[in-house]
Amino acid sequence: MLLQAHDVTVRFGGVTAVQNASLDVSAGQITGLIGPNGAGKTTFFNVLTGLQKPTDGSVYFDGEDITGKPTHERARRGIARTFQRLEAFGSLSVWENVLVAAEIHRQHAQRIKRGTGSPSQVAERLIERVGLQRYADRQADTIPTGIARLLELARALACDPRLLLLDEPSSGLSTTETEDFGDLLEELADEGRAVLIVEHDMELIMRVCDHLHVLDFGQVIASGSPAEVRASDRVQAAYLGQSYAQ
Amino acid sequence: MLSAFLTFTVLGLVTGAGYAVAASGLVLTYSTTRVFNVGHGAVAMLMAFLYWELSVHLELPVWLALLLTVGVAAPVLGWLAERVMMRHLSDAPVSTTLVVTVGLLVLLIGAAQAIWPPTARPVQPFFNGDGFPVGSAFVSYHDLMTVIAAVVVAAALYALLTFTRIGIAMRATVDNRGLLQLYGARPSLLSTLSWAIGSALAALAGILLTPVVQLSYFDLTLLVISSYAAAVFGRLKSLPWTFIGALLLGLCQSYAVGYLPPSELLSGVRAAIPALFLFAALLLAPQAQLRIGQIKGIAGVRVPSVRKALISGAGLIAGTAVLAFVMAPQHTDRMALGFILGIVMLSLVPLTGYGGYVSLTQFTFVGIGAIVVARLDSPSPLTLLAGAAAAAVVGVLVALPALRLQGLYLALSTLAFGLLMDKLVFQADFAFGFNGSLEVPRLALPGLTLDTPASYAILSVVVFTLVGFGVLALRRSRYGRILLAMRDSPAGCATLGLNLRWTRVRLFGLSAGIAGLAGGLLGGLNQSVSATEFQLFNSLPLLLLAVVAGVTSVSGAAIGGMTLMLLPVVAGEFEALGGLMFLLIGVAALGLGRDPNGVASRLFTLGRWRPSAKVTVPFRRPAPAYATGTAAVRDVPVSEAPVSSVPVSATPGSPAAEVRASREGKW
């Protein structure tokens, strides 16, 4: 297991956003984290990346307890993420957004894979990979939301992450774009990266995920393969609805 | 023994009560509008002057003067400030709101000086200082009124925010202005109301605290600024904690006066207690969570190409050299001063312009550089570097305790630092000596004498140009991109592996170092330096002018430096214009909400009369395969909704270069 979260609890005052939630993510696999709006998925992501201190529980990455580690140290160990509410660098061009990520990564990376090239080559390659060529020179606060999500993906990939956390990456994409995006995710997993994805697009989730965790009211109510989760009564009741019930 | 203790306790509680009234007004406006009003202290000061005018000069009855000041003039001032300055700032970055309120402070101090020229204005406490004994201590009716006022304010604010519809709506405006509007409330009215009440509370505090320091533009403003520490103690949201903080602060100060043994150093400590208290409150403040939100971007000014920058720089030096030999010596000296102040402004370009952090006390670092150069007492240019290095080290030390803090709190910690240096260090013998000023020898370069005004002006412009090149190179570099990225999204940077704290500390060190370099030059220019030049209050017009002139560009720094140099000259020659200048700057600050790049960028985008106005991409990169494609590949569909409200003015079919040009042309 690359990532293990044990009994994570987050309370905001009287509200419990996440309650005793545990979750595993394996390298080379795409793991889905699904659940209705407000189930605590983004809060959970924030706990995994260190942006939110959990009230209780622990997070292990590659066997090491990273619960108390600040965000940037987790990133340096290989955890990258995208944001549901976008966090692109609005003053920089799309190309510079990815470049700056590659440069930050280069500053502290212990080992750069052979043939990676300069940060600007990395940025160039990633922009092509996610299909942002024609937006490369646009300032990032002027691009459409769906495109900005792809930008965040390219930026996260610039850190050559071992674990990639994607928070609703496909919202704002068209059907074709979503299909391409699914292919890209599978490619990333084939490279040996672990992908944890929060997503509302069930078609995409059912297609690409190897494993699913279902969160409802801050609790993990089901875990398993997409088929198992689909069959779970609790999940049907909580979230999926009748169309996936068969 | 006990009686002395009682006396000091009463004194402390009374001062604390005054602070509490002031701080609660600050907390109220901040918690309803998310604008931290640095000018709160100046509102108090101005209104205390008005009260004097009405009650002493015009001899109105006390109750009427109070009513007119606290009940009418102050709310109107608050209403005006909100209406004219603050209304459009609720979504602006902290750096902009802070600078605009600094503008308010400078404006109000200028106004007070213009309306009530300096002269002795004795102020009687209420009831002529009559009072009654409490045990062995004496409590004046004025003191009693202060305490009663604090209690009444506390109760009234609590009732307002807890039990009334309007109070609850006020608290809601912060969370979601738009949503509140949908539910039928009028957020703009609520903000106005909170500003009016906040301003009235400032006025009340100003009047109550006047007997402590008498009527003075700066001391009274500063006294109310002390109450900011109490507001921070309440984390800018909790009124009860703010009141507790205010009383603690008052008591600390009072006991310090009573019980610290008399010595020069300790008298500095006494004066620095509010600053120390503010530091402590900041250290106790919980670490801010990184905020996650939408994409925010600021269209920066275009970064000139290397060639254009070199040409402009050479032109600037040549032009200055010609002027330096033609002009009268005193004008040449002024020009040199303008460039040196320009270097101070340049120190704000990376910090505020790129990084989005506000330093309220940049002149303090200038002072450190000046002290070091003066103390080294050698004509070697290496002393300049030593001064810069010393200032940089201090800059790092200031940023260190504030490591966990962000934005507003970081700015407040620079405020605390500035106060501390004013009271504790700059007054001490080891800094500026017994009479508060030091001699500085002129620099000498090998084979060159710099003892004429012309040569010194040329030295100043050369250093300005070199630092300007450095700042531009920084912007083009990896580090410059990281600074912009960090300003736009700290959370995004952290998740990429950037250590925000150290990046910030280095940035503060760099900025302080540049300011320290300017300090050495300033000392050499005047051949003496004195403590009064580097007071906290001098830093505020500096910051304001830097931002108004354009804190994102080197040309903005040059314009700002020259303007700052001209201000006292103009004020000296045309007395009536002094206040007017501040007014103009204050008005210019209003434009900041719309264009954070300041006057400089306006100048160049409107006129296009300078070579640097031409657009170049701020870095060179190898042309990728797709860049050689046809224009059609790079079409920008206009139907797509942009993420933010920044308009995309591209037309379909235009090449990317034009897209860029037209977009930047907007600014």
Side-chain angles (χ1 to χ4, degrees):
Chain A
M1 287 296 154
L2 185 62
L3 178 86
Q4 289 175 300
H6 291 303
D7 292 332
V8 170
T9 300
V10 180
R11 280 191 207 96
F12 300 112
V15 183
T16 305
V18 180
Q19 193 175 1
N20 291 329
S22 298
L23 162 161
D24 300 327
V25 182
S26 313
Q29 288 203 340
I30 302 177
T31 308
L33 179 61
I34 59 174
N37 282 322
K41 304 182 296 288
T42 297
T43 306
F44 205 97
F45 263 31
N46 289 345
V47 169
L48 295 181
T49 44
L51 289 170
Q52 172 71 51
K53 256 194 195 137
T55 317
D56 205 359
S58 54
V59 181
Y60 284 82
F61 183 70
D62 203 11
E64 182 194 7
D65 185 355
I66 57 165
T67 318
K69 296 265 185 281
T71 303
H72 65 271
E73 284 189 25
R74 299 181 194 215
R76 292 176 186 191
R77 282 169 171 73
I79 302 179
R81 76 171 282 182
T82 66
F83 292 87
Q84 182 197 3
R85 298 179 67 186
L86 296 161
E87 286 284 328
F89 306 133
S91 320
L92 301 178
S93 73
V94 166
W95 187 78
E96 282 178 298
N97 263 267
V98 188
L99 175 69
V100 84
E103 284 170 340
I104 291 172
H105 175 62
R106 191 63 55 100
Q107 278 183 350
H108 57 74
Q110 275 126 24
R111 194 170 56 84
I112 299 288
K113 277 185 199 143
R114 198 175 280 277
T116 305
S118 69
S120 65
Q121 284 168 326
V122 171
E124 216 67 73
R125 208 167 51 229
L126 287 172
I127 282 188
E128 281 196 36
R129 186 167 189 189
V130 299
L132 284 178
Q133 292 94 320
R134 67 175 198 175
Y135 294 97
D137 285 328
R138 294 263 302 262
Q139 192 170 323
D141 62 355
T142 66
I143 58 176
T145 314
I147 302 302
R149 292 190 192 285
L150 292 179
L151 165 60
E152 288 208 353
L153 174 61
R155 198 176 68 178
L157 287 175
C159 296
D160 192 16
R162 298 166 68 194
L163 168 66
L164 188 59
L165 307 172
L166 303 173
D167 201 347
E168 298 194 19
S170 86
S171 64
L173 294 181
S174 70
T175 323
T176 355
E177 284 169 330
T178 306
E179 270 174 33
D180 291 344
F181 180 73
D183 295 342
L184 179 60
L185 286 186
E186 284 172 341
E187 268 176 51
L188 292 172
D190 289 342
E191 288 169 12
R193 299 181 208 279
V195 179
L196 179 62
I197 177 171
V198 163
E199 187 51 70
H200 284 301
D201 182 341
M202 280 306 127
E203 303 259 359
L204 180 67
I205 285 286
M206 291 301 167
R207 184 190 132 199
V208 300
C209 287
D210 302 296
H211 200 82
L212 279 183
H213 298 281
V214 185
L215 209 58
D216 191 27
F217 289 109
Q219 287 177 303
V220 178
I221 56 166
S223 296
S225 69
E228 287 163 5
V229 166
R230 205 187 294 206
S232 152
D233 292 340
R234 279 190 79 184
V235 175
Q236 284 174 22
Y239 180 52
L240 285 179
Q242 291 308 307
S243 60
Y244 284 92
Q246 287 89 38
Chain B
M1 196 60 217
L2 191 66
S3 75
F5 179 77
L6 195 62
T7 305
F8 289 124
T9 306
V10 167
L11 207 65
L13 287 176
V14 169
T15 318
Y19 288 154
V21 173
S24 59
L26 193 70
V27 169
L28 182 73
T29 39
Y30 181 76
S31 58
T32 40
T33 60
R34 276 289 178 269
V35 174
F36 184 90
N37 184 9
V38 180
H40 198 68
V43 173
M45 179 273 302
L46 189 77
M47 288 298 125
F49 272 86
L50 180 67
Y51 172 76
W52 173 88
E53 177 75 30
L54 296 175
S55 72
V56 179
H57 197 216
L58 298 179
E59 294 178 354
L60 293 182
V62 168
W63 65 268
L64 185 59
L66 258 181
L67 185 71
L68 287 177
T69 312
V70 178
V72 180
V76 168
L77 182 67
W79 172 77
L80 267 178
E82 200 277 338
R83 232 15 223 272
V84 182
M85 297 182 107
M86 309 301 163
R87 173 145 300 181
H88 309 287
L89 289 177
S90 58
D91 294 327
V94 172
S95 56
T96 308
T97 59
L98 270 177
V99 171
V100 172
T101 60
V102 165
L104 183 66
L105 183 138
V106 171
L107 181 75
L108 294 182
I109 289 184
Q113 284 173 329
I115 304 172
W116 294 282
T119 165
R121 291 189 181 81
V123 182
Q124 281 295 318
F126 295 127
F127 308 105
N128 297 318
D130 288 348
F132 55 92
V134 172
S136 50
F138 175 79
V139 177
S140 74
Y141 290 120
H142 185 102
D143 295 344
L144 188 67
M145 264 191 75
T146 307
V147 174
I148 290 175
V151 173
V152 169
V153 164
L157 282 180
Y158 180 75
L160 173 74
L161 291 176
T162 319
F163 301 119
T164 67
R165 276 182 68 91
I166 205 154
I168 292 165
M170 274 166 114
R171 287 191 290 159
T173 41
V174 174
D175 295 331
N176 198 329
R177 221 181 156 87
L179 193 64
L180 198 67
Q181 213 155 13
L182 284 179
Y183 279 101
R186 291 170 61 194
S188 57
L189 183 76
L190 296 171
S191 317
T192 314
L193 190 65
S194 82
W195 271 82
I197 298 175
S199 174
L201 291 175
L204 183 60
I207 294 167
L208 291 172
L209 286 170
T210 302
V212 180
V213 286
Q214 289 300 309
L215 274 180
S216 102
Y217 315 115
F218 296 107
D219 290 347
L220 192 53
T221 305
L222 213 53
L223 187 68
V224 178
I225 286 181
S226 304
S227 74
Y228 297 1
V232 171
F233 195 82
R235 292 176 190 171
L236 298 180
K237 57 179 186 214
S238 157
L239 284 171
W241 281 107
T242 301
F243 273 79
I244 293 171
L247 294 181
L248 276 177
L249 176 61
L251 287 174
C252 281
Q253 261 184 307
S254 179
Y255 291 145
V257 170
Y259 294 110
L260 281 185
S263 89
E264 200 217 357
L265 183 69
L266 288 178
S267 83
V269 171
R270 266 194 288 277
I273 278 182
L276 289 169
F277 196 86
L278 181 53
F279 251 135
L282 285 168
L283 287 179
L284 291 175
Q287 174 159 19
Q289 297 259 334
L290 290 176
R291 282 188 61 175
I292 309 175
Q294 77 287 25
I295 303 185
K296 269 180 301 191
I298 299 170
V301 268
R302 306 138 194 197
V303 182
S305 70
V306 174
R307 206 172 70 93
K308 306 286 183 198
L310 284 176
I311 293 173
S312 313
L316 186 66
I317 293 175
T320 308
V322 171
L323 283 178
F325 286 110
V326 179
M327 287 197 304
Q330 78 266 31
H331 294 311
T332 310
D333 273 346
R334 280 180 185 156
M335 190 166 64
L337 177 62
F339 282 116
I340 294 168
L341 294 174
I343 299 170
V344 186
M345 302 255 170
L346 279 179
S347 75
L348 289 171
V349 171
L351 185 73
T352 309
Y354 302 160
Y357 295 104
V358 172
S359 160
L360 294 172
T361 187
Q362 207 64 3
F363 256 119
T364 308
F365 299 113
V366 180
I368 292 166
I371 292 176
V372 170
V373 169
R375 289 285 177 190
L376 288 176
D377 198 19
S378 139
S380 161
L382 288 178
T383 56
L384 284 182
L385 295 182
V393 169
V394 176
V396 165
L397 290 179
V398 178
L400 271 179
L403 264 182
R404 309 169 310 123
L405 306 173
Q406 296 194 55
L408 174 61
Y409 287 101
L410 206 53
L412 288 177
S413 85
T414 65
L415 180 78
F417 168 71
L419 288 171
L420 213 58
M421 291 293 285
D422 272 6
K423 304 287 179 205
L424 215 53
V425 177
F426 286 171
Q427 306 297 330
D429 283 351
F430 63 83
F432 288 104
F434 282 118
N435 40 18
S437 86
L438 293 173
E439 303 236 319
V440 184
R442 278 255 164 140
L443 291 178
L445 294 171
L448 266 180
T449 47
L450 293 169
D451 49 3
T452 64
S455 60
Y456 209 81
I458 294 170
L459 173 74
S460 307
V461 73
V462 167
V463 177
F464 174 84
T465 310
L466 290 178
V467 176
F469 285 156
V471 167
L472 283 181
L474 176 85
R475 170 63 185 85
R476 287 158 182 285
S477 73
R478 190 182 65 189
Y479 187 58
R481 272 190 293 278
I482 289 177
L483 288 183
L484 293 194
M486 194 165 76
R487 179 188 67 194
D488 289 346
S489 167
C493 278
T495 57
L496 296 172
L498 184 75
N499 187 335
L500 301 176
R501 298 177 177 187
W502 287 109
T503 314
R504 205 154 49 203
V505 166
R506 289 212 309 254
L507 179 61
F508 265 83
L510 172 76
S511 169
I514 298 175
L517 179 71
L521 281 173
L522 187 64
L525 174 69
N526 300 329
Q527 287 169 297
S528 83
V529 286
S530 64
T532 51
E533 293 172 61
F534 307 111
Q535 298 270 309
L536 172 73
F537 273 114
N538 292 343
S539 300
L540 299 179
L542 172 92
L543 171 70
L544 191 61
L545 263 179
V547 176
V548 167
V551 78
T552 50
S553 64
V554 174
S555 13
I559 296 171
M562 287 298 161
T563 316
L564 189 60
M565 175 271 293
L566 283 173
L567 272 186
V569 179
V570 173
E573 291 189 9
F574 313 94
E575 246 172 69
L577 280 182
L580 196 67
M581 296 290 284
F582 283 111
L583 194 71
L584 281 178
I585 299 168
V587 170
L590 304 186
L592 288 175
R594 254 180 302 152
D595 183 0
N597 293 313
V599 172
S601 77
R602 282 293 161 96
L603 226 50
F604 298 141
T605 42
L606 288 180
R608 291 190 184 277
W609 51 273
R610 250 184 67 132
S612 66
K614 238 184 182 172
V615 186
T616 45
V617 190
F619 50 85
R620 292 194 180 281
R621 61 186 169 104
Y626 55 78
T628 56
T630 57
V633 182
R634 330 192 92 205
D635 282 358
V636 181
V638 279
S639 58
E640 293 159 348
V643 176
S644 78
S645 59
V646 176
V648 186
S649 48
T651 46
S654 67
E658 268 178 42
V659 173
R660 199 186 307 128
S662 63
R663 184 182 74 224
E664 293 182 350
K666 274 284 194 204
W667 299 87

